[in-house]
Amino acid sequence: MTDEDERAVRAAIDGELRLLDPAVRAEPALVLELLDPEFTEVGASGRLWDATSILTVTSGGSVSPDSPVKVSEMSGTVLAPGVVLLKYFGDNQGRRVWRSSVWRLTATGWRLYYHQGTPAAPEAPAR
């Protein structure tokens, strides 16, 4: 991986971790700074979200400061210049989900363009 690719992956990981931070999630303006205007998500519930609708979840205390999402196995791949795919395993109070995110570089910085969560089987090891 080139230095430029490593910087891109690091920027996407930093953004993803910020979005999982309960303090950031509680502030809609901070969440919007990280979401692409064309953001969409297919949630682990199967529901389709956009940037506006996801704010109701993030600002509603979906991640407790007392029990933050535990992230493991996060890795990133540059798909094209300015586009990074992240994959990781998240555990939120026993709700285990495989997650993938596509981040893209915009004029205002790295923004989350697409996210998908797929529930993991309860007995499935993280890997």
Side-chain angles (χ1 to χ4, degrees):
M1 189 180 311
T2 68
D3 287 346
E4 185 176 330
D5 286 353
E6 286 181 21
R7 283 191 299 275
V9 168
R10 183 77 250 163
I13 288 172
D14 290 347
E16 191 80 23
L17 294 175
R18 283 191 67 216
L19 279 172
L20 292 172
D21 181 332
V24 172
R25 293 172 74 88
E27 296 293 333
L30 296 177
V31 173
L32 284 175
E33 286 177 6
L34 295 165
L35 297 182
D36 191 279
E38 297 177 27
F39 168 81
T40 57
E41 174 177 336
V42 177
S45 65
R47 183 173 174 182
L48 182 62
W49 303 88
D50 62 14
T52 303
S53 62
I54 202 70
L55 291 177
T56 62
V57 172
T58 58
S59 61
S62 62
V63 175
S64 166
D66 299 328
S67 183
V69 174
K70 294 177 186 139
V71 173
S72 60
E73 301 186 44
M74 187 175 283
S75 64
T77 304
V78 174
L79 299 177
V83 181
V84 172
L85 170 66
L86 295 181
K87 297 185 283 183
Y88 63 97
F89 184 79
D91 187 323
N92 185 9
Q93 300 178 354
R95 185 165 185 245
R96 300 157 40 90
V97 179
W98 288 108
R99 299 201 171 270
S100 57
S101 295
V102 176
W103 286 78
R104 69 179 177 179
L105 185 58
T106 69
T108 58
W110 286 93
R111 300 283 189 97
L112 179 58
Y113 176 74
Y114 178 79
H115 181 79
Q116 182 163 348
T118 303
E123 69 282 355
R127 211 194 299 230

